[in-house]
Amino acid sequence: MFDSLDQPIEIDIVAFPETTLILIAAVIEPLRAANRIAGKTLYSWRFLSIDGRPAETTSQLDIAVSGPFLPSSENRPLFILSSYSWEDYSTLGVKMALSRAARHRPMIAGIESGTWLVAEAGLLNHHKVALHWDDHKDFSERYPDINVVQDRFVIDRKRMTSGGALPTLDMMLEIIRRRQNFALAFEVSRSFVYQRDGASHQLISLRDGYDVPMDDRLIESLRLMEQPFDQPLTIARIARRVGTSDRHLQTLFQNAFGVTPHQHYLALRLNFARRQVIESRTSLADIAVATGFNSASAFSRSYRAQFRESPSETRRRLRTGG
Protein backbone atom coordinates (compact mmCIF):
# COMPACT_ATOMS: atom_id res chain seq x y z
CA MET A 1 0.00 0.00 0.00
CA PHE A 2 2.91 2.33 0.63
CA ASP A 3 4.60 1.74 -2.72
CA SER A 4 4.11 3.35 -6.15
CA LEU A 5 4.17 6.88 -4.79
CA ASP A 6 3.36 8.49 -8.13
CA GLN A 7 0.45 6.17 -8.87
CA PRO A 8 -3.07 6.87 -7.60
CA ILE A 9 -4.34 4.35 -5.07
CA GLU A 10 -7.95 3.17 -4.86
CA ILE A 11 -9.45 2.16 -1.53
CA ASP A 12 -12.54 0.09 -0.75
CA ILE A 13 -14.44 1.23 2.35
CA VAL A 14 -17.05 -1.04 3.90
CA ALA A 15 -19.30 1.07 6.12
CA PHE A 16 -21.31 -1.11 8.50
CA PRO A 17 -24.66 0.07 9.85
CA GLU A 18 -24.47 2.51 12.77
CA THR A 19 -21.09 3.88 11.74
CA THR A 20 -20.64 7.53 12.74
CA LEU A 21 -20.19 10.27 10.17
CA ILE A 22 -17.14 11.60 11.97
CA LEU A 23 -15.44 8.22 11.56
CA ILE A 24 -16.20 8.18 7.84
CA ALA A 25 -14.91 11.74 7.52
CA ALA A 26 -11.73 10.85 9.40
CA VAL A 27 -10.93 8.33 6.66
CA ILE A 28 -11.83 10.22 3.50
CA GLU A 29 -11.34 13.91 4.32
CA PRO A 30 -7.52 13.71 4.70
CA LEU A 31 -7.39 11.90 1.35
CA ARG A 32 -9.61 14.52 -0.28
CA ALA A 33 -7.42 17.27 1.14
CA ALA A 34 -4.28 15.53 -0.12
CA ASN A 35 -5.74 15.44 -3.62
CA ARG A 36 -6.66 19.12 -3.49
CA ILE A 37 -3.30 20.23 -2.14
CA ALA A 38 -1.38 18.05 -4.61
CA GLY A 39 -3.51 19.30 -7.49
CA LYS A 40 -4.10 15.76 -8.73
CA THR A 41 -5.78 12.52 -7.74
CA LEU A 42 -3.51 10.63 -5.38
CA TYR A 43 -6.37 8.78 -3.66
CA SER A 44 -9.80 7.58 -4.69
CA TRP A 45 -12.31 5.44 -2.84
CA ARG A 46 -15.59 3.66 -3.17
CA PHE A 47 -18.06 2.77 -0.44
CA LEU A 48 -19.56 -0.68 -0.01
CA SER A 49 -22.13 -2.03 2.43
CA ILE A 50 -22.92 -5.52 3.65
CA ASP A 51 -26.12 -5.72 1.61
CA GLY A 52 -25.56 -3.24 -1.24
CA ARG A 53 -28.06 -0.76 0.17
CA PRO A 54 -27.00 2.72 1.39
CA ALA A 55 -25.03 2.48 4.62
CA GLU A 56 -27.07 3.76 7.54
CA THR A 57 -25.15 6.08 9.86
CA THR A 58 -25.94 7.09 13.42
CA SER A 59 -26.75 10.60 12.15
CA GLN A 60 -29.60 9.32 9.96
CA LEU A 61 -27.65 10.37 6.88
CA ASP A 62 -27.16 7.40 4.60
CA ILE A 63 -23.98 6.91 2.61
CA ALA A 64 -24.43 5.96 -1.04
CA VAL A 65 -22.52 2.82 -1.94
CA SER A 66 -21.24 1.21 -5.13
CA GLY A 67 -22.59 -2.19 -4.15
CA PRO A 68 -22.32 -4.98 -1.59
CA PHE A 69 -19.10 -6.20 -0.05
CA LEU A 70 -18.53 -9.61 -1.60
CA PRO A 71 -15.65 -12.09 -1.59
CA SER A 72 -13.53 -11.30 -4.63
CA SER A 73 -9.99 -11.07 -5.90
CA GLU A 74 -9.91 -7.26 -5.69
CA ASN A 75 -6.46 -5.96 -4.83
CA ARG A 76 -7.45 -2.63 -3.31
CA PRO A 77 -6.75 -1.84 0.36
CA LEU A 78 -9.87 -2.65 2.38
CA PHE A 79 -11.11 -0.47 5.25
CA ILE A 80 -13.72 -1.92 7.63
CA LEU A 81 -15.64 0.85 9.43
CA SER A 82 -17.93 0.18 12.35
CA SER A 83 -18.96 2.15 15.42
CA TYR A 84 -21.85 0.50 17.25
CA SER A 85 -23.49 -2.94 17.46
CA TRP A 86 -20.73 -4.66 15.52
CA GLU A 87 -21.78 -8.08 16.89
CA ASP A 88 -25.14 -7.77 15.15
CA TYR A 89 -23.34 -7.79 11.80
CA SER A 90 -20.59 -10.31 12.51
CA THR A 91 -22.30 -13.08 10.56
CA LEU A 92 -20.69 -16.17 9.11
CA GLY A 93 -21.03 -14.62 5.65
CA VAL A 94 -19.20 -11.44 6.71
CA LYS A 95 -16.41 -13.39 8.36
CA MET A 96 -15.99 -15.61 5.32
CA ALA A 97 -15.95 -12.61 2.99
CA LEU A 98 -13.26 -10.94 5.10
CA SER A 99 -11.21 -14.12 5.27
CA ARG A 100 -11.33 -14.54 1.48
CA ALA A 101 -10.58 -10.87 0.89
CA ALA A 102 -7.41 -11.19 2.99
CA ARG A 103 -5.92 -13.50 0.35
CA HIS A 104 -5.77 -10.70 -2.19
CA ARG A 105 -5.90 -7.36 -0.41
CA PRO A 106 -2.55 -5.63 0.19
CA MET A 107 -3.89 -4.10 3.40
CA ILE A 108 -6.91 -4.56 5.64
CA ALA A 109 -7.76 -1.84 8.15
CA GLY A 110 -10.05 -2.22 11.14
CA ILE A 111 -11.41 1.22 12.00
CA GLU A 112 -12.85 1.67 15.52
CA SER A 113 -15.20 -1.33 16.07
CA GLY A 114 -14.18 -2.60 12.66
CA THR A 115 -11.17 -4.04 14.48
CA TRP A 116 -13.50 -6.47 16.26
CA LEU A 117 -14.95 -7.61 12.93
CA VAL A 118 -11.50 -8.17 11.46
CA ALA A 119 -10.48 -10.07 14.61
CA GLU A 120 -13.59 -12.26 14.40
CA ALA A 121 -12.44 -13.30 10.93
CA GLY A 122 -9.14 -14.46 12.41
CA LEU A 123 -7.12 -11.85 10.54
CA LEU A 124 -5.36 -10.18 13.48
CA ASN A 125 -3.78 -13.15 15.25
CA HIS A 126 -0.18 -12.42 16.26
CA HIS A 127 -0.54 -8.79 15.21
CA LYS A 128 -0.39 -5.61 17.25
CA VAL A 129 -3.68 -3.71 17.31
CA ALA A 130 -4.97 -0.38 18.59
CA LEU A 131 -8.40 -0.03 20.18
CA HIS A 132 -10.47 2.44 22.12
CA TRP A 133 -9.12 2.20 25.64
CA ASP A 134 -12.54 1.10 26.96
CA ASP A 135 -12.24 -2.10 24.91
CA HIS A 136 -8.75 -3.24 25.86
CA LYS A 137 -9.68 -5.66 28.64
CA ASP A 138 -12.60 -7.36 26.88
CA PHE A 139 -10.74 -7.59 23.58
CA SER A 140 -7.64 -9.10 25.17
CA GLU A 141 -9.69 -11.72 26.98
CA ARG A 142 -11.61 -12.64 23.84
CA TYR A 143 -8.57 -12.76 21.53
CA PRO A 144 -5.53 -13.88 23.53
CA ASP A 145 -3.44 -14.30 20.36
CA ILE A 146 -3.71 -10.60 19.50
CA ASN A 147 -1.36 -8.06 21.06
CA VAL A 148 -3.35 -5.00 22.17
CA VAL A 149 -1.13 -1.93 22.56
CA GLN A 150 -1.69 1.56 23.93
CA ASP A 151 -1.00 3.36 20.63
CA ARG A 152 -3.67 5.51 18.96
CA PHE A 153 -3.24 3.54 15.75
CA VAL A 154 -1.08 0.65 14.58
CA ILE A 155 0.29 -0.30 11.18
CA ASP A 156 1.58 -3.86 11.48
CA ARG A 157 2.52 -5.55 8.21
CA LYS A 158 -0.70 -5.93 6.19
CA ARG A 159 -3.01 -4.79 8.96
CA MET A 160 -3.96 -1.38 10.29
CA THR A 161 -6.14 -0.60 13.29
CA SER A 162 -7.27 2.56 15.04
CA GLY A 163 -9.19 3.31 18.20
CA GLY A 164 -11.57 6.05 17.10
CA ALA A 165 -12.14 9.03 14.82
CA LEU A 166 -9.19 11.22 15.81
CA PRO A 167 -6.74 8.29 15.94
CA THR A 168 -7.99 7.39 12.46
CA LEU A 169 -7.19 10.91 11.29
CA ASP A 170 -3.69 10.38 12.70
CA MET A 171 -3.44 7.13 10.78
CA MET A 172 -4.52 8.66 7.48
CA LEU A 173 -1.94 11.42 7.90
CA GLU A 174 0.68 8.74 8.45
CA ILE A 175 -0.39 6.96 5.26
CA ILE A 176 0.02 10.21 3.33
CA ARG A 177 3.40 10.82 4.95
CA ARG A 178 4.64 7.37 3.97
CA ARG A 179 3.24 7.38 0.44
CA GLN A 180 4.09 10.95 -0.46
CA ASN A 181 6.15 12.91 2.05
CA PHE A 182 6.12 14.81 5.30
CA ALA A 183 5.43 18.07 3.47
CA LEU A 184 2.10 16.94 2.06
CA ALA A 185 0.98 15.23 5.27
CA PHE A 186 1.88 18.32 7.24
CA GLU A 187 -0.06 20.58 4.89
CA VAL A 188 -3.10 18.29 5.13
CA SER A 189 -2.92 18.50 8.92
CA ARG A 190 -2.71 22.30 8.71
CA SER A 191 -5.79 22.40 6.50
CA PHE A 192 -7.75 20.98 9.42
CA VAL A 193 -6.07 23.36 11.93
CA TYR A 194 -5.19 20.12 13.62
CA GLN A 195 -3.13 20.00 16.83
CA ARG A 196 -1.50 16.88 18.23
CA ASP A 197 1.24 15.91 20.58
CA GLY A 198 2.74 12.49 21.08
CA ALA A 199 5.38 10.37 19.44
CA SER A 200 7.52 11.14 16.44
CA HIS A 201 5.95 12.30 13.20
CA GLN A 202 3.22 14.15 15.10
CA LEU A 203 1.56 16.75 12.94
CA ILE A 204 0.31 19.97 14.47
CA SER A 205 -1.20 23.24 13.39
CA LEU A 206 1.08 26.23 13.72
CA ARG A 207 -1.73 28.77 13.70
CA ASP A 208 -2.65 30.92 16.67
CA GLY A 209 -1.44 29.37 19.86
CA TYR A 210 -0.52 26.00 21.24
CA ASP A 211 -2.54 24.06 23.76
CA VAL A 212 -0.26 21.02 23.80
CA PRO A 213 2.89 20.55 25.91
CA MET A 214 5.83 21.50 23.70
CA ASP A 215 9.27 22.92 24.35
CA ASP A 216 9.05 26.73 24.29
CA ARG A 217 12.08 26.94 22.00
CA LEU A 218 10.42 24.64 19.49
CA ILE A 219 7.21 26.68 19.58
CA GLU A 220 9.12 29.91 19.01
CA SER A 221 11.06 28.31 16.16
CA LEU A 222 7.83 27.26 14.50
CA ARG A 223 6.45 30.76 14.82
CA LEU A 224 9.57 32.27 13.29
CA MET A 225 9.26 29.87 10.37
CA GLU A 226 5.67 30.99 9.88
CA GLN A 227 6.73 34.55 9.13
CA PRO A 228 6.59 35.78 5.49
CA PHE A 229 8.84 33.56 3.43
CA ASP A 230 10.43 36.16 1.15
CA GLN A 231 13.46 36.49 3.44
CA PRO A 232 13.83 33.11 5.14
CA LEU A 233 16.03 32.89 8.20
CA THR A 234 18.94 30.52 8.43
CA ILE A 235 18.55 27.64 10.86
CA ALA A 236 21.55 28.95 12.79
CA ARG A 237 19.85 32.33 13.22
CA ILE A 238 16.60 30.72 14.33
CA ALA A 239 18.52 28.70 16.91
CA ARG A 240 20.21 31.83 18.26
CA ARG A 241 16.95 33.74 18.42
CA VAL A 242 15.25 31.03 20.49
CA GLY A 243 18.26 30.61 22.76
CA THR A 244 19.56 27.19 21.80
CA SER A 245 22.24 25.57 19.66
CA ASP A 246 21.87 24.31 16.10
CA ARG A 247 22.36 20.76 17.32
CA HIS A 248 19.72 20.98 20.04
CA LEU A 249 17.24 22.54 17.62
CA GLN A 250 17.85 19.56 15.33
CA THR A 251 17.03 17.27 18.26
CA LEU A 252 13.82 19.16 19.09
CA PHE A 253 12.56 18.87 15.52
CA GLN A 254 13.55 15.23 15.15
CA ASN A 255 11.74 14.33 18.38
CA ALA A 256 8.62 16.31 17.48
CA PHE A 257 8.29 15.76 13.73
CA GLY A 258 10.83 13.18 12.66
CA VAL A 259 12.45 15.71 10.28
CA THR A 260 15.20 18.33 10.49
CA PRO A 261 14.45 22.04 10.96
CA HIS A 262 15.59 22.63 7.37
CA GLN A 263 13.19 19.98 6.01
CA HIS A 264 10.33 21.43 8.00
CA TYR A 265 11.04 25.02 6.94
CA LEU A 266 11.46 24.05 3.29
CA ALA A 267 8.18 22.13 3.41
CA LEU A 268 6.37 25.24 4.66
CA ARG A 269 7.81 27.39 1.87
CA LEU A 270 7.23 24.88 -0.91
CA ASN A 271 3.69 24.08 0.22
CA PHE A 272 2.91 27.79 0.14
CA ALA A 273 4.45 27.96 -3.33
CA ARG A 274 2.43 24.93 -4.45
CA ARG A 275 -0.81 26.62 -3.43
CA GLN A 276 0.17 29.74 -5.35
CA VAL A 277 1.08 27.72 -8.43
CA ILE A 278 -2.23 25.86 -8.37
CA GLU A 279 -4.66 28.48 -7.08
CA SER A 280 -3.35 31.79 -8.42
CA ARG A 281 -2.14 33.39 -11.62
CA THR A 282 0.93 34.86 -9.98
CA SER A 283 4.01 34.51 -12.17
CA LEU A 284 6.44 31.74 -11.25
CA ALA A 285 9.19 34.32 -10.87
CA ASP A 286 7.12 36.25 -8.32
CA ILE A 287 6.27 33.03 -6.47
CA ALA A 288 9.98 32.22 -6.30
CA VAL A 289 10.68 35.65 -4.75
CA ALA A 290 7.74 35.35 -2.32
CA THR A 291 9.04 32.01 -1.04
CA GLY A 292 12.63 33.14 -0.55
CA PHE A 293 14.45 31.56 -3.48
CA ASN A 294 17.27 33.58 -5.01
CA SER A 295 16.41 32.53 -8.56
CA ALA A 296 13.60 30.95 -10.57
CA SER A 297 15.88 28.02 -11.39
CA ALA A 298 16.64 27.33 -7.71
CA PHE A 299 12.91 27.46 -6.98
CA SER A 300 12.14 25.10 -9.84
CA ARG A 301 14.79 22.59 -8.69
CA SER A 302 13.49 22.51 -5.11
CA TYR A 303 9.89 22.34 -6.29
CA ARG A 304 10.65 19.42 -8.61
CA ALA A 305 12.54 17.56 -5.88
CA GLN A 306 9.51 17.89 -3.59
CA PHE A 307 6.63 17.35 -6.01
CA ARG A 308 8.27 15.38 -8.86
CA GLU A 309 7.28 17.98 -11.44
CA SER A 310 8.29 21.57 -12.15
CA PRO A 311 6.01 24.53 -11.37
CA SER A 312 5.38 25.08 -15.08
CA GLU A 313 4.52 21.39 -15.51
CA THR A 314 2.00 21.67 -12.68
CA ARG A 315 0.25 24.56 -14.36
CA ARG A 316 0.38 22.92 -17.78
CA ARG A 317 -1.09 19.70 -16.40
CA LEU A 318 -3.93 21.56 -14.67
CA ARG A 319 -4.72 23.55 -17.84
CA THR A 320 -4.89 20.43 -20.00
CA GLY A 321 -6.56 18.26 -17.37
CA GLY A 322 -3.68 15.78 -17.55
Side-chain angles (χ1 to χ4, degrees):
M1 178 174 179
F2 303 112
D3 299 328
S4 303
L5 304 186
D6 290 321
Q7 297 299 317
I9 187 170
E10 299 176 327
I11 295 172
D12 280 347
I13 301 171
V14 184
F16 278 75
E18 299 185 66
T19 297
T20 61
L21 282 178
I22 193 171
L23 192 66
I24 293 170
V27 173
I28 63 173
E29 283 301 303
L31 305 182
R32 177 202 57 77
N35 290 344
R36 180 186 61 80
I37 292 167
K40 58 184 175 181
T41 300
L42 299 171
Y43 299 92
S44 62
W45 52 89
R46 66 175 182 177
F47 281 99
L48 305 170
S49 66
I50 56 176
D51 55 11
R53 293 183 292 185
E56 300 175 1
T57 71
T58 55
S59 301
Q60 299 180 340
L61 294 174
D62 294 347
I63 302 299
V65 301
S66 298
F69 169 52
L70 299 171
S72 69
S73 57
E74 291 280 358
N75 61 357
R76 301 176 177 185
L78 179 66
F79 282 57
I80 306 300
L81 275 60
S82 177
S83 298
Y84 298 103
S85 307
W86 68 267
E87 288 181 290
D88 293 345
Y89 311 108
S90 183
T91 64
L92 178 60
V94 166
K95 288 185 279 191
M96 289 180 62
L98 284 170
S99 181
R100 290 181 61 182
R103 302 173 193 172
H104 308 284
R105 304 279 182 164
M107 181 69 74
I108 293 181
I111 309 299
E112 201 170 75
S113 295
T115 300
W116 291 83
L117 291 162
V118 178
E120 281 290 297
L123 302 180
L124 293 176
N125 291 344
H126 310 297
H127 284 74
K128 294 180 180 179
V129 305
L131 290 164
H132 191 283
W133 64 271
D134 278 344
D135 294 335
H136 281 201
K137 183 175 182 295
D138 290 344
F139 191 95
S140 296
E141 291 176 353
R142 185 163 182 157
Y143 311 107
D145 292 330
I146 300 175
N147 181 15
V148 178
V149 298
Q150 298 292 327
D151 297 343
R152 292 168 62 85
F153 69 88
V154 169
I155 301 175
D156 185 0
R157 293 162 284 171
K158 294 184 177 182
R159 302 289 181 265
M160 295 190 294
T161 51
S162 69
L166 290 181
T168 298
L169 179 55
D170 288 346
M171 187 176 77
M172 303 312 293
L173 291 171
E174 176 65 7
I175 290 170
I176 295 166
R177 188 189 70 81
R178 292 193 188 190
R179 291 199 75 244
Q180 277 73 49
N181 51 47
F182 167 81
L184 181 60
F186 181 67
E187 195 66 14
V188 170
S189 76
R190 285 159 53 86
S191 74
F192 292 108
V193 197
Y194 186 52
Q195 301 186 22
R196 280 272 296 113
D197 70 340
S200 62
H201 308 312
Q202 66 174 346
L203 298 162
I204 69 170
S205 165
L206 305 184
R207 303 285 187 192
D208 300 326
Y210 297 81
D211 59 0
V212 296
M214 294 176 67
D215 188 289
D216 289 343
R217 291 162 296 184
L218 177 60
I219 292 174
E220 185 58 26
S221 297
L222 296 172
R223 287 177 174 161
L224 288 172
M225 291 179 180
E226 278 277 293
Q227 301 306 307
F229 300 129
D230 56 342
Q231 294 182 328
L233 302 170
T234 65
I235 300 304
R237 186 175 180 185
I238 291 173
R240 288 195 301 272
R241 287 183 61 172
V242 303
T244 190
S245 66
D246 291 16
R247 177 169 294 185
H248 189 60
L249 190 63
Q250 296 270 349
T251 299
L252 291 174
F253 271 83
Q254 287 287 354
N255 289 342
F257 300 109
V259 295
T260 67
H262 173 75
Q263 289 172 313
H264 183 92
Y265 201 4
L266 185 60
L268 287 175
R269 293 163 57 201
L270 287 173
N271 282 335
F272 175 79
R274 178 80 160 180
R275 292 196 301 274
Q276 295 300 303
V277 170
I278 292 172
E279 298 174 4
S280 79
R281 296 183 179 181
T282 306
S283 73
L284 298 183
D286 286 345
I287 294 174
V289 170
T291 48
F293 291 91
N294 56 20
S295 69
S297 60
F299 167 55
S300 185
R301 284 195 300 273
S302 293
Y303 186 101
R304 180 184 288 278
Q306 189 79 282
F307 303 115
R308 294 185 289 277
E309 62 183 3
S310 70
S312 58
E313 287 169 344
T314 297
R315 283 192 166 168
R316 189 179 310 117
R317 175 174 53 77
L318 293 174
R319 281 199 308 269
T320 61

